[in-house]
Amino acid sequence: MQLYGRKLWGSMLIEPQLDWYGMAYDFVPVGDLLAAPEARAQILPLNPVGQIPILVLDSGVVMTESAAMTLHLADLAGSDDLVPGPQAAERAAFLRWLTFLVATLYPAYFYGDDPARFVADEAARPAFRAATDAHLQRMFRIVDAAAGTPWFLGEGLSALDIFVCCMTRWRPGRDWFAAEAPRLHAIALRADSHPRLLPAWQRNLAP
């Protein structure tokens, strides 16, 4: 398989899952999609939306959307380690919050990362960015209120904890989570040091 990505971007959600399942893949680095037109040109043939991660399966099938990859990799692995199985009591909550993270929170990053894509008036862009950041914080508080302990679903680690660990490294940043979303912050710290996740974090945090 090939995983198209960039350090600390959305591909960081998928790398630790591939590692966890012991699946072989090549990491294909992508430039800064917000600043480099050539980076967008590199991936547009694979994803017309121009976003990463992109996962090209052994069969040549192209997958986008991190939630879809999460479910598919669990199926390929025949494992319920990171995705509760259909009969698991935690399955409904897992699907609910996985979808919430990617459908409600992810768009706030997409719109706020580069307001110029959506707001023609340059003077109005700071207010637009501030509004998307405020929305992001409100939504994270909702997720925090739903989070369990020691992991999001309770006793067992799941892919939700990987998502939380990654997303708390994005804005509004770990200090904000420590103060305003302490359950998510605690999950992130616990996942930071998990031995089976650590190699992926080290690759993304390396200079």
Side-chain angles (χ1 to χ4, degrees):
M1 289 186 282
Q2 292 179 311
L3 178 65
Y4 286 73
R6 182 174 174 81
K7 287 182 179 181
L8 293 174
W9 285 45
S11 50
M12 187 169 61
L13 302 168
I14 304 305
E15 285 181 74
Q17 297 186 59
L18 290 163
D19 291 350
W20 186 285
Y21 297 129
M23 294 179 175
Y25 67 98
D26 292 322
F27 186 85
V28 182
V30 175
D32 186 344
L33 294 169
L34 301 177
E38 64 273 16
R40 286 182 58 82
Q42 175 189 4
I43 65 168
L44 282 175
L46 296 172
N47 184 1
V49 180
Q51 294 177 310
I52 52 176
I54 300 168
L55 184 64
V56 182
L57 304 177
D58 289 338
S59 63
V61 170
V62 176
M63 290 196 75
T64 64
E65 315 310 323
S66 56
M69 295 178 200
T70 295
L71 298 176
H72 186 64
L73 290 176
D75 288 344
L76 284 180
S79 170
D80 60 2
D81 281 0
L82 300 179
V83 175
Q87 305 306 318
E90 302 83 9
R91 174 77 172 194
F94 175 86
L95 293 175
R96 174 190 178 184
W97 292 109
L98 178 67
T99 304
F100 189 92
L101 290 174
V102 299
T104 303
L105 287 163
Y106 228 73
Y109 290 111
F110 179 69
Y111 294 124
D113 280 345
D114 185 8
R117 291 180 293 185
F118 307 100
V119 180
D121 182 358
E122 185 174 356
R125 291 171 192 166
F128 179 83
R129 169 62 181 266
T132 62
D133 286 350
H135 174 75
L136 190 64
Q137 293 173 18
R138 288 193 299 272
M139 296 305 102
F140 269 124
R141 289 189 179 98
I142 291 173
V143 179
D144 187 70
T149 185
W151 301 108
F152 195 97
L153 296 177
E155 291 301 318
L157 178 143
S158 74
L160 291 177
D161 303 299
I162 292 173
F163 275 64
V164 167
C165 189
C166 295
M167 295 174 81
T168 53
R169 291 196 176 277
W170 304 338
R171 64 177 187 276
R174 285 283 176 90
D175 288 345
W176 182 91
F177 283 97
E180 302 291 338
R183 294 184 184 183
L184 297 182
H185 186 254
I187 289 169
L189 293 181
R190 194 169 290 111
D192 276 345
S193 59
H194 193 290
R196 292 182 67 175
L197 304 177
L198 195 56
W201 306 150
Q202 291 173 335
R203 289 195 300 271
N204 277 273
L205 295 171

